[in-house]
Amino acid sequence: MTRRRWLMVGAAALAVVLLLVIGVLAFRPFGTGTENGPDGTAAPTQPPDSERLFLPGYDGSPGGFTMTDPADAPGKTTSVRLALEGDAQRTDHQLGLSFDARELANPMWDSEDSNLALTLGELEEPALRFGGNGIDRHVWWTSSDEPAPEWATATVTPEDLERVAAVAEEVDASVTIDLDLGHDDPARAADMAAHAKQAFGDRLLAVAIGNEPNGFSHENQPDLAVRDTTWDTEAYQQALTEYSAALESATPGLPVSGPGAYDAEWWRAFAESGIPNQRALSLHWYPLWDCEGPASSIANPTVEDLTDPVLRERARTIVGMGADVAEEHDLPLWMEETGPTSCPGTNDTSRTHAQALWTVDYAMTLAELGVERTAFHSTLQACEGGAPMSPICARGPYEEPGQIVEGRTSYLALMMLGNLPNGRVLTPTVSGDGKVSAHTVLGDGGELTLVLVDMRDPSNELYKDRPVEISAPEGGSSVAPDGWELTHGSRMAGTSLDASESTFDDLVPVSGEFAGARLDRAEPLTVTSEPGSVTMLRFSTASGGDASDGGGDADPAV
């Protein structure tokens, strides 16, 4: 998953040098593409917004990566022990965005007036998923220009799928699409699936029959009901059989994922339905679901609960249950829709630096559990008033959001995770109160990438940089027998957990005293972690290394 941007840094630097040389030699000949500014001096012409990235806080070419000397970091040292297990999960982990299916009809896709494709291209081979509550309640599919019924708020056509497919091709994305189960029309769903397969080709990993069928008739969500009280897992399995037959007739062999639900009973209902071409078990989960919960709840939509280490353990429990069901039925595990909270509207976690920290920690925790594909739920609505939790949003006003998008804090987090290599996820054991977590990937080339997530509030003056002692991975003794050498680093930071922006300095060579620091099997390496930060460290195999595989603090300042 190493992002292409890293490969372009050298070329970009060379281009700058060439431009400077050309500028000196040319003496501004006629037609240079510049205009006179108010003071009469030449000013560069600004490219249109459709050719620009809007990523507040992002620095793609920082001068170098440095860390505090551990001797100057007070407090108790956090120790990180790593193990390469025999059944270690791989990290060909696709990360990306989930959209409501209504966004399939959004004019941004493949538009010359939009920077959506340019922005999505900052992610590494992103996952794109289309579903949400809209597919079963508000989306009308037609391939023959039929008039939409009154219940539809969006009409999707083959031309819309082709526009989305053009963007997917441009950004090298994989795609999944949900089909309308809410209106019980297998033939129409099969027609949409056939056109999706034609548009996306091999990029279409699977279709899903309905979105969150466990919510089709739920006493707590009567406004979302599309079935009566007789709807249960048995009725769902019967519907799967009918839809599967229609899909097989229209597009033989088309892969199907499901159930796209947050309930173990429904996970089993899909896995045990007996329909052919099952591609993956898909989960949905929003850990902060208790919208008006008591103070004792651990699932309130607050920054405090979002950064509580308990949430990480809760993810391991809930998603771990899904992993057990997937393993039992020999299916890959996908998280097709997720985010910090399912609570509607703006809340304390919206648009915060804490959301970026959680995104990294959560995505890495899912990778450790074996999740192969994760999509964070998003919209293309306006940044102000329309998309409080979405990683991206449109820059225009609420009523006319326009076609220019920008990335928020959690989008920077997904960009950062794009620097992870393909490889195997190590099992971490981390001391302390859980506020500092560690996640590590052993790349297929033997390189080691460590991710430290520090959930402490940087605005609290009692919190200081913390020493972190890293021990070489146990197991697979023939991997890098001479150890590793620290070569590159990256950091995401913020002024406070509830800050509206994060800063993200992309992966660059390490400078200062840590340049070339060694991580040996016999001697741990101590680095430092800043409060409210994500630190990514890349280690290459030391000379003689081999990529083969042989097998709560009492005081806040601590």
Side-chain angles (χ1 to χ4, degrees), residues 389-405:
M389 299 303 302
S390 178
I392 61 173
C393 54
R395 291 170 58 83
Y398 179 75
E399 296 296 336
E400 297 182 11
Q403 297 192 33
I404 305 302
V405 299

Side-chain angles (χ1 to χ4, degrees), residues 65 67 448-452 470 486-491 507 510 525 527-528 535-539:
F65 179 85
M67 286 184 289
L448 197 66
T449 303
L450 174 74
V451 179
L452 298 173
I470 309 160
L486 181 58
T487 59
H488 294 81
S490 173
R491 181 177 291 111
L507 200 65
V510 173
L525 173 66
V527 296
T528 52
T535 301
M536 179 178 287
L537 302 177
R538 171 72 54 80
F539 296 82

Side-chain angles (χ1 to χ4, degrees), residues 102-171:
R102 284 171 284 191
E103 299 289 14
L104 288 167
N106 195 300
M108 287 189 194
W109 300 101
D110 201 31
S111 169
E112 293 182 354
D113 298 322
S114 177
N115 68 340
L116 177 59
L118 185 67
T119 303
L120 293 177
E122 293 299 295
L123 304 181
E124 177 68 14
E125 299 178 4
L128 297 179
R129 175 261 181 176
F130 298 89
N133 286 330
I135 188 62
D136 296 303
R137 297 164 179 83
H138 305 295
V139 171
W140 172 249
W141 162 262
T142 177
S143 59
S144 56
D145 295 326
E146 301 160 275
E150 291 185 359
W151 51 259
T153 60
T155 296
V156 177
T157 68
E159 291 73 23
D160 292 320
L161 297 182
E162 290 167 3
R163 292 186 302 105
V164 178
V167 174
E169 178 72 21
E170 183 176 346
V171 304

